[in-house]
């Protein structure tokens, strides 16, 4: 896990979430341990993971995340359309 992408200003909402989507794609093995949980990313950094969406978001906001990207990691038995 690394810090925010260098081209992203912390004061400006991202125009796209390509950085986060690419992080998810590159870190599928890491994400396996979060199956069935909501994760919160900002840039290339994972801030929170929790079975409850509200709790994951709350934890990330507490850590200073301004523009959270939230993703639910599918269980093995689920067949995600986008993946």
């Amino acid at each position: 896990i690394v810090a925010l992408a260098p081209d992203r200003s912390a004061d400006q909402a991202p125009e796209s979430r390509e950085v986060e989507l690419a992080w998810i794609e590159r870190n599928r093995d890491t994400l396996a341990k979060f199956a069935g949980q909501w994760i919160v990313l900002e840039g290339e950094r994972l801030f929170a993971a929790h079975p409850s969406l509200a709790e994951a978001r709350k934890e990330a906001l507490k850590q200073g995340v301004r523009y959270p990207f939230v993703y639910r990691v599918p269980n093995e038995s689920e067949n995600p359309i986008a993946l």
Side-chain angles (χ1 to χ4, degrees):
I1 301 174
V2 296
L4 292 175
D7 61 338
R8 184 176 293 177
S9 169
D11 295 330
Q12 186 178 9
E15 291 182 20
S16 77
R17 298 321 283 253
E18 291 178 23
V19 172
E20 289 86 354
L21 292 170
W23 187 93
I24 289 169
E25 186 64 33
R26 283 191 317 272
N27 290 281
R28 289 203 186 276
D29 292 339
T30 300
L31 290 177
K33 67 182 173 185
F34 300 112
Q37 296 188 47
W38 294 92
I39 63 168
V40 182
L41 302 166
E42 189 173 51
E44 293 188 343
R45 185 170 172 199
L46 175 64
F47 282 89
H50 198 279
S52 162
L53 170 59
E55 290 299 318
R57 190 172 184 280
K58 179 179 167 182
E59 177 60 30
L61 294 175
K62 196 164 74 174
Q63 292 184 53
V65 173
R66 294 187 60 186
Y67 305 104
F69 178 85
V70 182
Y71 173 76
R72 186 177 176 282
V73 181
N75 289 314
E76 275 186 38
S77 62
E78 295 174 333
N79 185 14
I81 295 170
L83 300 179

